[in-house]
Each structure stands twice: as structure tokens, then as C-alpha cells.
Amino acid sequence: ANIILRRVLFFSFMGYQFWSIVTNQLSHDSPLMVAHHISALICTITSTVFIEGFRCVNPLLFGGSELSTLVLIIINHVKSDDTLAGQMPHTYTMLRALFAFLFIWIRLLMFPPVLIQFVRDGWTVLHGLSYGFQWFVLGVTLLSSTLLLFLQFYWGFLIIKGLGKMCLRKKEKI
């Protein structure tokens, strides 16, 4: 049963990443988003194919870290329709605050310690491997994981900055 769930999660997450890469290219999203999705795709494939040592990382990678994305999808839908955001400004603000809370909690507080431990352990293993396929795959995974970590910090900085602006605007209105 565990292997079936693992495969369902793998194919679901992999499909989502492929879909995101295609839609990002069509909508001309930033190169950072494309790099994020390619890195997540690499980490998804390697953490599923090479199951040893990834038990701690998979729960966050396969869904936990994406909880904030579910709220972001709703926000992007509301934002893409000018009338929706104007019709329910309080709901829109609450959704943005919920997204910020989830992102900070999951991707800045929970995710980095796990990912830093994985990267540290991975570099230790990498130095013990002879050059070859395993060395290459682990190296690419570590680089992708490191990029994901720095992107989380960058986006977290932007979110915290946005929260600060949102709070300042509310103080000015009072």
C-alpha cells in the first residue's frame, strides 16, 4: 500500500511540475519560477527513484510544502479577474494573509531545517562516491535542492516585505 501511495504522489506531483513548466512558458512567467519548477521536478524524480535516505524529505516535498500553493492558486485566480478582487477586498486580503502565514510557517520555518540537513548529508555522501551516474544524479539533486532553498528565502523575504507594506497601509487608513 505504501508503494502505491508513493507512486500516486510521485506521478501527481511530477504531472503538476510538468504542467507548471508549460503554463509558465506560455504565460511568460519569470525565469525564477521556471527554475523553481525544474528544480522541484528533479527533486521529485530523484527522491522517488532513489528512496534510500529521502524518508524525511518526501513528506514535505510531496505536498506539505505545497499547502501554501493551494491558497496562492485561489489568489492568482482572484487577481486575474479585476472584478473579483474589487467585489471581495476583505476576502482577498485574508487569503493573502493566509498564504503569507502558510508560506512562512511551512517554507521558512519547517522546510529549511529538513532541506539543510538533506543537503549537508548529501554532500557527505557525494564526496564518498566515485564519479559516475549516482554521483551526477546526487549532485544535480543537491544543486536543485539548494536552489529551492534559496528561492524559498528570497520569496519569503518578498512576502514579509509585502506584509510590512500591508500593515503600514492599514495604519495610515486609521
Side-chain angles (χ1 to χ4, degrees), residues 4-149:
I4 292 170
L5 178 61
R6 187 177 182 82
R7 287 183 180 153
V8 167
L9 289 172
F10 165 69
F11 285 114
S12 299
F13 200 74
M14 201 167 94
Y16 172 75
Q17 295 306 329
F18 275 123
W19 175 79
S20 295
I21 291 168
V22 171
T23 56
N24 282 341
Q25 287 301 311
L26 294 175
S27 64
H28 307 293
D29 270 354
S30 75
L32 287 179
M33 281 308 300
V34 175
H36 164 77
H37 290 298
I38 291 171
S39 296
L41 182 63
I42 289 168
C43 291
T44 300
I45 293 169
T46 55
S47 68
T48 302
V49 175
F50 303 105
I51 61 172
E52 296 303 319
F54 288 98
R55 290 184 187 95
C56 188
V57 178
N58 276 340
L60 276 172
L61 181 63
F62 287 150
S65 64
E66 294 299 326
L67 286 175
S68 61
T69 304
L70 296 174
V71 180
L72 184 61
I73 290 169
I74 297 168
I75 291 170
N76 286 339
H77 175 69
V78 171
K79 193 166 48 170
S80 69
D81 185 350
D82 296 334
T83 58
L84 279 177
Q87 289 173 348
M88 44 188 194
H90 183 68
T91 303
Y92 183 64
T93 301
M94 292 305 292
L95 284 170
R96 289 179 61 179
L98 177 61
F99 168 72
F101 170 77
L102 288 173
F103 190 97
I104 292 167
W105 177 48
I106 295 169
R107 295 188 184 214
L108 294 182
L109 298 176
M110 290 177 63
F111 194 65
V114 173
L115 198 52
I116 289 168
Q117 181 70 38
F118 165 72
V119 170
R120 194 185 77 182
D121 293 346
W123 281 111
T124 302
V125 170
L126 188 69
H127 289 292
L129 292 174
S130 58
Y131 295 108
F133 181 71
Q134 288 178 325
W135 185 89
F136 174 77
V137 170
L138 182 56
V140 168
T141 303
L142 291 172
L143 290 173
S144 296
S145 299
T146 304
L147 175 62
L148 287 173
L149 180 65

